[in-house]
Amino acid sequence: MKAFLTFFTLLLFSGQTIYAKEYIVGVEHLDYLPQYGFDSNKRYDGLGIEVLRQFSKSNDDIDFKFTPYPIKRLHQNLLLDEIDFKYPDSVHWNMSAKKKYDVIYSDNLVPYTDGILVLPKNNGRSYSDKFRVGIPLGFTPVALLNSSSNYKLQVIKKMKISELIKLANLGRVDGIYINIDVGLHRLNQLGKSGTLVFDNNLPHINDYYQLSTINHQGIINKLNQFIRSHPHLLSKLQAKYGIKPIK
């Protein structure tokens, strides 16, 4: 399958006919707002998606189409050249699987913190035996796997974040490994704000989401320039979506 699907949208600019090429941006089929996911109108949205939409709108020859896939399939689709771009991605993800491929990454786009939400009474607790952690299906608890802690890790995977929150509130897992902004947002949606809190004493990661591609170095260069030339865009959108900058 060819890496991109093309259609032409007729635009008039400066008396010339300009054609916008459609590029498929593979995204995760996951409710992971405010970072990314489907809003109440079933539109794929979120902080990173809006950054990419604004970039696309600023270029008459680029039209991004966001197509959701299961997480594992999304990764394969990029490497098999079945999509043009993947978001989110990171130079630190799936490194062994990418060794044989020349994956191109954008500059840092959107900050994130992956960590563990626990019951307030367990905040700051140490674990010496085992640690039961719930994670979204398809995710890897990188911070925990890279930790030097001595406890035995027991991973429980669920498709829905609401299911993970329920397990944590019932004490059936010691915590859930998740993007902290996403977890707190979901708790608020469920009317359970404050029932779980971020334990920053446990392993966690502060990093950035990136856009990746196999074939489109030129568009990545344009995106990097767009980000540099709009220094206040990210902070404005972070405020809109309630995401705190990484310090």
PDB file of all heavy atoms in Angstrom, residues 116-119 122 125 127 130-134 167-168 171-176 202:
ATOM      1  N   ILE A 116       2.564   7.584  38.125  1.00  0.00           N
ATOM      2  CA  ILE A 116       1.644   6.669  38.794  1.00  0.00           C
ATOM      3  C   ILE A 116       0.681   7.434  39.690  1.00  0.00           C
ATOM      4  O   ILE A 116       1.098   8.249  40.530  1.00  0.00           O
ATOM      5  CB  ILE A 116       2.422   5.625  39.605  1.00  0.00           C
ATOM      6  CG1 ILE A 116       3.341   4.842  38.667  1.00  0.00           C
ATOM      7  CG2 ILE A 116       1.462   4.678  40.325  1.00  0.00           C
ATOM      8  CD1 ILE A 116       4.329   3.946  39.369  1.00  0.00           C
ATOM      9  N   LEU A 117      -0.606   7.168  39.495  1.00  0.00           N
ATOM     10  CA  LEU A 117      -1.655   7.684  40.361  1.00  0.00           C
ATOM     11  C   LEU A 117      -1.978   6.631  41.409  1.00  0.00           C
ATOM     12  O   LEU A 117      -2.166   5.454  41.080  1.00  0.00           O
ATOM     13  CB  LEU A 117      -2.905   8.020  39.551  1.00  0.00           C
ATOM     14  CG  LEU A 117      -2.777   9.128  38.496  1.00  0.00           C
ATOM     15  CD1 LEU A 117      -4.109   9.309  37.761  1.00  0.00           C
ATOM     16  CD2 LEU A 117      -2.361  10.449  39.131  1.00  0.00           C
ATOM     17  N   VAL A 118      -2.036   7.060  42.667  1.00  0.00           N
ATOM     18  CA  VAL A 118      -2.282   6.141  43.775  1.00  0.00           C
ATOM     19  C   VAL A 118      -3.376   6.712  44.679  1.00  0.00           C
ATOM     20  O   VAL A 118      -3.739   7.890  44.576  1.00  0.00           O
ATOM     21  CB  VAL A 118      -1.003   5.916  44.619  1.00  0.00           C
ATOM     22  CG1 VAL A 118       0.118   5.348  43.756  1.00  0.00           C
ATOM     23  CG2 VAL A 118      -0.546   7.224  45.273  1.00  0.00           C
ATOM     24  N   LEU A 119      -3.876   5.890  45.588  1.00  0.00           N
ATOM     25  CA  LEU A 119      -4.794   6.374  46.609  1.00  0.00           C
ATOM     26  C   LEU A 119      -4.062   7.384  47.487  1.00  0.00           C
ATOM     27  O   LEU A 119      -2.876   7.193  47.799  1.00  0.00           O
ATOM     28  CB  LEU A 119      -5.302   5.219  47.460  1.00  0.00           C
ATOM     29  CG  LEU A 119      -6.207   4.199  46.769  1.00  0.00           C
ATOM     30  CD1 LEU A 119      -6.437   2.993  47.681  1.00  0.00           C
ATOM     31  CD2 LEU A 119      -7.538   4.840  46.379  1.00  0.00           C
ATOM     32  N   ASN A 122      -1.808   6.240  50.236  1.00  0.00           N
ATOM     33  CA  ASN A 122      -0.580   5.532  49.859  1.00  0.00           C
ATOM     34  C   ASN A 122       0.472   6.442  49.231  1.00  0.00           C
ATOM     35  O   ASN A 122       1.537   5.961  48.833  1.00  0.00           O
ATOM     36  CB  ASN A 122      -0.900   4.401  48.889  1.00  0.00           C
ATOM     37  CG  ASN A 122      -1.712   3.291  49.531  1.00  0.00           C
ATOM     38  OD1 ASN A 122      -1.608   3.059  50.737  1.00  0.00           O
ATOM     39  ND2 ASN A 122      -2.539   2.615  48.744  1.00  0.00           N
ATOM     40  N   ARG A 125       4.348   6.111  49.871  1.00  0.00           N
ATOM     41  CA  ARG A 125       4.625   4.779  50.414  1.00  0.00           C
ATOM     42  C   ARG A 125       5.743   4.109  49.622  1.00  0.00           C
ATOM     43  O   ARG A 125       5.878   4.299  48.411  1.00  0.00           O
ATOM     44  CB  ARG A 125       3.357   3.928  50.344  1.00  0.00           C
ATOM     45  CG  ARG A 125       3.537   2.474  50.741  1.00  0.00           C
ATOM     46  CD  ARG A 125       2.241   1.704  50.542  1.00  0.00           C
ATOM     47  NE  ARG A 125       2.453   0.263  50.658  1.00  0.00           N
ATOM     48  CZ  ARG A 125       1.526  -0.652  50.419  1.00  0.00           C
ATOM     49  NH1 ARG A 125       0.305  -0.283  50.040  1.00  0.00           N
ATOM     50  NH2 ARG A 125       1.801  -1.941  50.556  1.00  0.00           N
ATOM     51  N   TYR A 127       7.645   0.416  48.430  1.00  0.00           N
ATOM     52  CA  TYR A 127       7.246  -0.952  48.118  1.00  0.00           C
ATOM     53  C   TYR A 127       8.504  -1.809  48.033  1.00  0.00           C
ATOM     54  O   TYR A 127       9.407  -1.519  47.250  1.00  0.00           O
ATOM     55  CB  TYR A 127       6.485  -0.999  46.801  1.00  0.00           C
ATOM     56  CG  TYR A 127       5.211  -0.176  46.815  1.00  0.00           C
ATOM     57  CD1 TYR A 127       5.244   1.190  46.550  1.00  0.00           C
ATOM     58  CD2 TYR A 127       3.978  -0.762  47.103  1.00  0.00           C
ATOM     59  CE1 TYR A 127       4.077   1.960  46.581  1.00  0.00           C
ATOM     60  CE2 TYR A 127       2.812  -0.013  47.130  1.00  0.00           C
ATOM     61  CZ  TYR A 127       2.872   1.348  46.868  1.00  0.00           C
ATOM     62  OH  TYR A 127       1.719   2.101  46.896  1.00  0.00           O
ATOM     63  N   LYS A 130       6.139  -6.492  46.101  1.00  0.00           N
ATOM     64  CA  LYS A 130       5.617  -6.421  44.736  1.00  0.00           C
ATOM     65  C   LYS A 130       4.819  -5.143  44.558  1.00  0.00           C
ATOM     66  O   LYS A 130       4.354  -4.536  45.525  1.00  0.00           O
ATOM     67  CB  LYS A 130       4.749  -7.636  44.416  1.00  0.00           C
ATOM     68  CG  LYS A 130       3.444  -7.700  45.197  1.00  0.00           C
ATOM     69  CD  LYS A 130       2.618  -8.902  44.752  1.00  0.00           C
ATOM     70  CE  LYS A 130       1.300  -8.968  45.548  1.00  0.00           C
ATOM     71  NZ  LYS A 130       0.464 -10.117  45.124  1.00  0.00           N
ATOM     72  N   PHE A 131       4.677  -4.742  43.310  1.00  0.00           N
ATOM     73  CA  PHE A 131       3.904  -3.548  42.986  1.00  0.00           C
ATOM     74  C   PHE A 131       2.948  -3.906  41.859  1.00  0.00           C
ATOM     75  O   PHE A 131       3.377  -4.290  40.765  1.00  0.00           O
ATOM     76  CB  PHE A 131       4.821  -2.395  42.568  1.00  0.00           C
ATOM     77  CG  PHE A 131       4.095  -1.097  42.354  1.00  0.00           C
ATOM     78  CD1 PHE A 131       3.732  -0.302  43.430  1.00  0.00           C
ATOM     79  CD2 PHE A 131       3.758  -0.666  41.075  1.00  0.00           C
ATOM     80  CE1 PHE A 131       3.059   0.893  43.239  1.00  0.00           C
ATOM     81  CE2 PHE A 131       3.089   0.520  40.879  1.00  0.00           C
ATOM     82  CZ  PHE A 131       2.735   1.305  41.969  1.00  0.00           C
ATOM     83  N   ARG A 132       1.655  -3.796  42.121  1.00  0.00           N
ATOM     84  CA  ARG A 132       0.632  -4.105  41.128  1.00  0.00           C
ATOM     85  C   ARG A 132       0.248  -2.807  40.419  1.00  0.00           C
ATOM     86  O   ARG A 132      -0.268  -1.885  41.048  1.00  0.00           O
ATOM     87  CB  ARG A 132      -0.598  -4.713  41.795  1.00  0.00           C
ATOM     88  CG  ARG A 132      -0.338  -5.992  42.581  1.00  0.00           C
ATOM     89  CD  ARG A 132      -1.527  -6.320  43.467  1.00  0.00           C
ATOM     90  NE  ARG A 132      -1.784  -5.229  44.401  1.00  0.00           N
ATOM     91  CZ  ARG A 132      -2.914  -5.101  45.113  1.00  0.00           C
ATOM     92  NH1 ARG A 132      -3.889  -5.987  44.983  1.00  0.00           N
ATOM     93  NH2 ARG A 132      -3.072  -4.088  45.949  1.00  0.00           N
ATOM     94  N   VAL A 133       0.495  -2.757  39.132  1.00  0.00           N
ATOM     95  CA  VAL A 133       0.232  -1.520  38.394  1.00  0.00           C
ATOM     96  C   VAL A 133      -0.720  -1.795  37.237  1.00  0.00           C
ATOM     97  O   VAL A 133      -0.581  -2.786  36.512  1.00  0.00           O
ATOM     98  CB  VAL A 133       1.552  -0.891  37.884  1.00  0.00           C
ATOM     99  CG1 VAL A 133       2.277  -1.816  36.931  1.00  0.00           C
ATOM    100  CG2 VAL A 133       1.289   0.460  37.228  1.00  0.00           C
ATOM    101  N   GLY A 134      -1.686  -0.925  37.074  1.00  0.00           N
ATOM    102  CA  GLY A 134      -2.595  -0.995  35.941  1.00  0.00           C
ATOM    103  C   GLY A 134      -2.133  -0.050  34.847  1.00  0.00           C
ATOM    104  O   GLY A 134      -1.726   1.084  35.137  1.00  0.00           O
ATOM    105  N   LEU A 167     -10.183  -0.043  39.359  1.00  0.00           N
ATOM    106  CA  LEU A 167      -9.307  -0.990  40.031  1.00  0.00           C
ATOM    107  C   LEU A 167      -8.484  -0.320  41.134  1.00  0.00           C
ATOM    108  O   LEU A 167      -8.320  -0.867  42.234  1.00  0.00           O
ATOM    109  CB  LEU A 167      -8.363  -1.645  39.016  1.00  0.00           C
ATOM    110  CG  LEU A 167      -8.963  -2.644  38.033  1.00  0.00           C
ATOM    111  CD1 LEU A 167      -7.896  -3.130  37.055  1.00  0.00           C
ATOM    112  CD2 LEU A 167      -9.588  -3.834  38.756  1.00  0.00           C
ATOM    113  N   ALA A 168      -7.974   0.887  40.825  1.00  0.00           N
ATOM    114  CA  ALA A 168      -7.159   1.608  41.807  1.00  0.00           C
ATOM    115  C   ALA A 168      -7.998   2.039  43.006  1.00  0.00           C
ATOM    116  O   ALA A 168      -7.561   1.923  44.162  1.00  0.00           O
ATOM    117  CB  ALA A 168      -6.495   2.815  41.152  1.00  0.00           C
ATOM    118  N   GLY A 171      -8.575  -0.702  45.316  1.00  0.00           N
ATOM    119  CA  GLY A 171      -7.383  -1.262  45.917  1.00  0.00           C
ATOM    120  C   GLY A 171      -6.909  -2.550  45.276  1.00  0.00           C
ATOM    121  O   GLY A 171      -6.087  -3.280  45.846  1.00  0.00           O
ATOM    122  N   ARG A 172      -7.389  -2.836  44.074  1.00  0.00           N
ATOM    123  CA  ARG A 172      -6.995  -4.067  43.394  1.00  0.00           C
ATOM    124  C   ARG A 172      -5.681  -3.912  42.639  1.00  0.00           C
ATOM    125  O   ARG A 172      -5.097  -4.889  42.182  1.00  0.00           O
ATOM    126  CB  ARG A 172      -8.108  -4.522  42.455  1.00  0.00           C
ATOM    127  CG  ARG A 172      -9.373  -4.927  43.213  1.00  0.00           C
ATOM    128  CD  ARG A 172     -10.497  -5.322  42.279  1.00  0.00           C
ATOM    129  NE  ARG A 172     -11.691  -5.668  43.037  1.00  0.00           N
ATOM    130  CZ  ARG A 172     -12.887  -5.885  42.497  1.00  0.00           C
ATOM    131  NH1 ARG A 172     -13.042  -5.787  41.175  1.00  0.00           N
ATOM    132  NH2 ARG A 172     -13.922  -6.181  43.258  1.00  0.00           N
ATOM    133  N   VAL A 173      -5.248  -2.678  42.447  1.00  0.00           N
ATOM    134  CA  VAL A 173      -3.889  -2.382  41.992  1.00  0.00           C
ATOM    135  C   VAL A 173      -3.333  -1.314  42.922  1.00  0.00           C
ATOM    136  O   VAL A 173      -4.083  -0.575  43.567  1.00  0.00           O
ATOM    137  CB  VAL A 173      -3.851  -1.886  40.523  1.00  0.00           C
ATOM    138  CG1 VAL A 173      -4.291  -2.987  39.569  1.00  0.00           C
ATOM    139  CG2 VAL A 173      -4.698  -0.638  40.333  1.00  0.00           C
ATOM    140  N   ASP A 174      -2.007  -1.256  43.012  1.00  0.00           N
ATOM    141  CA  ASP A 174      -1.375  -0.256  43.875  1.00  0.00           C
ATOM    142  C   ASP A 174      -1.361   1.123  43.229  1.00  0.00           C
ATOM    143  O   ASP A 174      -1.259   2.144  43.924  1.00  0.00           O
ATOM    144  CB  ASP A 174       0.054  -0.683  44.205  1.00  0.00           C
ATOM    145  CG  ASP A 174       0.085  -1.977  44.995  1.00  0.00           C
ATOM    146  OD1 ASP A 174      -0.565  -2.033  46.058  1.00  0.00           O
ATOM    147  OD2 ASP A 174       0.739  -2.933  44.535  1.00  0.00           O
ATOM    148  N   GLY A 175      -1.457   1.147  41.900  1.00  0.00           N
ATOM    149  CA  GLY A 175      -1.478   2.420  41.197  1.00  0.00           C
ATOM    150  C   GLY A 175      -1.711   2.190  39.720  1.00  0.00           C
ATOM    151  O   GLY A 175      -1.700   1.056  39.248  1.00  0.00           O
ATOM    152  N   ILE A 176      -1.948   3.263  38.990  1.00  0.00           N
ATOM    153  CA  ILE A 176      -2.087   3.156  37.541  1.00  0.00           C
ATOM    154  C   ILE A 176      -1.029   4.041  36.882  1.00  0.00           C
ATOM    155  O   ILE A 176      -0.808   5.185  37.290  1.00  0.00           O
ATOM    156  CB  ILE A 176      -3.505   3.527  37.043  1.00  0.00           C
ATOM    157  CG1 ILE A 176      -3.898   4.950  37.412  1.00  0.00           C
ATOM    158  CG2 ILE A 176      -4.525   2.559  37.611  1.00  0.00           C
ATOM    159  CD1 ILE A 176      -5.252   5.364  36.837  1.00  0.00           C
ATOM    160  N   LEU A 202       7.425   7.869  43.224  1.00  0.00           N
ATOM    161  CA  LEU A 202       7.551   6.662  42.423  1.00  0.00           C
ATOM    162  C   LEU A 202       8.149   7.023  41.058  1.00  0.00           C
ATOM    163  O   LEU A 202       8.105   8.184  40.643  1.00  0.00           O
ATOM    164  CB  LEU A 202       6.178   6.008  42.252  1.00  0.00           C
ATOM    165  CG  LEU A 202       5.569   5.405  43.520  1.00  0.00           C
ATOM    166  CD1 LEU A 202       4.130   4.949  43.261  1.00  0.00           C
ATOM    167  CD2 LEU A 202       6.412   4.247  44.041  1.00  0.00           C
TER     168      LEU A 202
END
